[in-house]
Amino acid sequence: PLLQVHLLQGRPAAVKVAIVEELTEVVHRHLGSDRERISVLITEYGEADWNVAGAPLRRGEAAVLDELASLLSTLGGAE
């Protein structure tokens, strides 16, 4: 499996490593794929490159997206 993660720039490398580890474990656990065959591709964008509803992303919207990503991460690890 190949997972694609799209993020705004600016997160520390340690956070991205943790995301890759967690996603790999979730896919392994739920799909039964060998960890060695799971790929995670992270693509980062600047705020000027991320648009919502036809307009550039504003900092408040970035905070909402970060909160949503945190919630999804929590749900992904729950069982």
Side-chain angles (χ1 to χ4, degrees), residues 7-71:
L7 300 172
L8 289 172
Q9 291 174 337
R11 288 179 178 77
V15 169
K16 292 183 277 188
V17 168
I19 289 169
V20 169
E21 290 172 350
E22 290 286 330
L23 288 173
T24 299
E25 187 57 33
V26 167
V27 170
H28 167 72
R29 189 170 51 240
H30 292 282
L31 297 181
S33 301
D34 292 335
R35 287 176 185 88
E36 295 78 23
R37 298 188 60 88
I38 300 168
S39 298
V40 180
L41 175 63
I42 295 177
T43 305
E44 296 182 280
Y45 301 92
E47 285 187 21
D49 299 320
W50 196 299
N51 298 275
V52 175
L57 182 70
R58 295 183 300 272
R59 290 205 177 269
E61 292 163 337
V64 169
L65 290 174
D66 283 343
E67 188 66 28
L68 178 58
S70 176
L71 174 62

